[in-house]
């Protein structure tokens, strides 16, 4: 029996958000709305999203001894995240500069701050957290050598979920542990490079799987997601909602999927639930503030269908190959 449903190892940032009529091109200045400061960071986001769904969640991260760090600790605590693994001091809290356009799409620049100090030694010192959970989720807003150490500290039979954001080349040891590797369209293109030219998302999923992960999920924004494990690619549809702000929606998806896997769900079933959580999240502004409870997900999106089809066909019966989705 494990004490936690999910351990998240990753970043914690303050999100500095400005609404803009359109995102600036290179060398261009645009006027925006008032600055809003929200708790964020892919690691903290995932921990809060899972806890809001009633998952027993712990976070291993670093924040600064400053106002942004206190904002993050307050948000994590309010959501019910165990913050015993959140280390304080040594560098300023990480900051993300985010612009959001009228369609809810965003552009993000991250200053890592304390996140860059989360070390392999910190992972080894948190051995008790790793022994207390079977599912561990990570991202790449922390040093890659720290992610490698996370893989080495998984409990026997443990499951590792990775969103390689921002994308970079991954060592074989990390790829082999991913179950699943979760990427959006942009991340898939960066990782695959020329191999994805002319292909469709279903082809990308198969190519990514051939690179070493145990399973792959490609998120397609409003078009749902593709799940690839073995020869089959399963299309998981999303739920149509009026998007207000997509900031942190991918983190909500990853958190929900990781939690459902830990609860024993099959990958396609977990992804179907995660797509609903992500859809609910984009109907509100901010990242952590937007994350729904399980009751809110069901009220907005309905129950999760239990008959997602495989064998290269979409859940609604349409072929997977040839379908394209927007990137979120």
């Amino acid at each position: 029996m494990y004490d936690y449903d999910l351990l998240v190892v990753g970043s914690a940032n303050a999100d500095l958000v400005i609404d803009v009529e359109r995102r600036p091109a290179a060398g261009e200045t645009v006027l925006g709305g008032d600055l809003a400061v929200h708790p964020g960071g892919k690691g903290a986001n995932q921990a809060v999203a899972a806890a809001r769904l009633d998952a027993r969640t712990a976070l291993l991260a670093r924040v600064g001894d400053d106002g942004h760090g206190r904002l993050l600790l307050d948000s994590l605590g309010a959501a019910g995240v165990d913050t015993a693994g959140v280390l304080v001091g040594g560098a300023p809290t990480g900051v993300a500069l985010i612009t959001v356009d009228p369609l809810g799409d965003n552009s993000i620049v991250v200053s890592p701050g304390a996140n860059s100090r989360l070390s392999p030694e910190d992972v080894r010192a948190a051995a008790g957290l790793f022994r207390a959970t079977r599912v561990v989720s990570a991202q790449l807003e922390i040093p890659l050598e720290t992610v490698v150490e996370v893989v080495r500290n998984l409990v026997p039979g443990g499951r590792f979920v990775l969103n390689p954001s921002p994308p970079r080349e991954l060592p074989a040891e990390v790829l082999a542990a991913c179950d699943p590797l979760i990427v959006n369209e942009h991340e898939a293109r960066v990782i695959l490079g020329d191999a994805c030219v002319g292909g469709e998302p279903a082809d990308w999923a198969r190519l990514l799987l051939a690179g070493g992960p145990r399973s792959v999920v490609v998120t397609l924004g409003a078009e749902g997601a593709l799940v690839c494990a073995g020869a089959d690619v399963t299309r998981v549809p999303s739920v149509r909602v009026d998007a207000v702000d997509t900031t942190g929606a991918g983190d909500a998806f990853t958190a929900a999927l990781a939690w459902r896997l830990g609860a024993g769900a099959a990958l396609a079933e977990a992804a179907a639930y995660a797509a609903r959580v992500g859809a609910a999240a984009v109907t509100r502004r901010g990242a952590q503030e937007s994350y729904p409870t399980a009751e809110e997900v069901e009220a907005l999106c309905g129950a999760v269908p239990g008959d997602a089809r495989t064998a290269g066909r979409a859940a609604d019966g349409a072929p997977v190959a040839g379908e394209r989705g927007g990137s979120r």
Side-chain angles (χ1 to χ4, degrees):
M1 187 68 180
Y2 296 101
D3 295 331
Y4 302 107
D5 299 312
L6 177 64
L7 169 62
V8 181
V9 183
S11 58
N13 294 324
D15 288 348
L16 279 55
V17 183
I18 300 177
D19 289 329
V20 293
E21 285 301 315
R22 58 185 177 82
R23 288 173 287 170
E28 181 183 17
T29 298
V30 300
L31 293 177
D34 293 335
L35 175 70
V37 182
H38 304 280
K42 298 187 76 63
N45 286 351
Q46 289 182 17
V48 168
R52 290 274 290 168
L53 297 169
D54 292 329
R56 298 169 300 164
T57 308
L59 174 65
L60 175 59
R62 276 192 175 272
V63 298
D65 186 10
D66 50 31
H68 288 156
R70 289 186 286 276
L71 171 71
L72 283 155
L73 288 169
D74 288 346
S75 177
L76 291 161
V81 177
D82 187 328
T83 59
V86 179
L87 307 172
V88 179
T93 301
V95 172
L97 308 176
I98 303 172
T99 58
V100 182
D101 69 20
L103 295 178
D105 290 321
N106 60 63
S107 295
I108 304 173
V109 177
V110 174
S111 173
N115 297 309
S116 63
R117 271 70 168 185
L118 189 66
S119 67
E121 291 76 15
D122 294 332
V123 171
R124 290 191 288 271
L129 289 176
F130 284 85
R131 288 194 298 267
T133 186
R134 192 176 73 85
V135 181
V136 179
S137 177
Q139 325 79 38
L140 297 184
E141 289 183 340
I142 57 176
L144 184 56
E145 59 266 27
T146 304
V147 177
V148 172
E149 193 64 27
V150 168
V151 169
R152 293 173 179 173
N153 281 266
L154 297 173
V155 298
R159 191 156 192 167
F160 179 60
V161 177
L162 178 66
N163 172 217
S165 179
R168 70 187 79 169
E169 186 176 353
L170 295 171
E173 181 180 4
V174 171
L175 282 170
C178 294
D179 193 15
L181 177 75
I182 302 177
V183 296
N184 62 20
E185 289 182 273
H186 166 72
E187 292 152 2
R189 289 190 181 102
V190 171
I191 293 170
L192 291 172
D194 292 342
C196 71
V197 175
E200 298 293 334
D203 302 320
W204 305 347
R206 294 185 181 97
L207 286 170
L208 287 165
L209 187 69
R214 301 178 188 181
S215 60
V216 170
V217 175
V218 179
T219 61
L220 303 173
E223 301 304 317
L226 297 177
V227 172
C228 184
D232 292 332
V233 175
T234 301
R235 169 69 182 278
V236 175
S238 186
V239 175
R240 298 296 177 181
V241 295
D242 293 326
V244 173
D245 182 2
T246 62
T247 305
D251 300 327
F253 178 98
T254 298
L257 185 147
W259 171 53
R260 295 307 300 160
L261 289 176
L267 183 56
E269 178 188 349
Y273 182 74
R276 282 157 170 73
V277 173
V282 303
T283 64
R284 301 172 180 168
R285 291 193 175 276
Q288 294 177 23
E289 303 98 315
S290 74
Y291 294 152
T293 64
E295 292 77 15
E296 289 170 337
V297 173
E298 185 168 354
L300 178 65
C301 304
V304 179
D307 60 347
R309 301 175 188 178
T310 57
R313 298 189 66 81
D316 60 3
V320 168
E323 295 191 331
R324 303 298 295 269
S327 178
R328 297 279 180 176

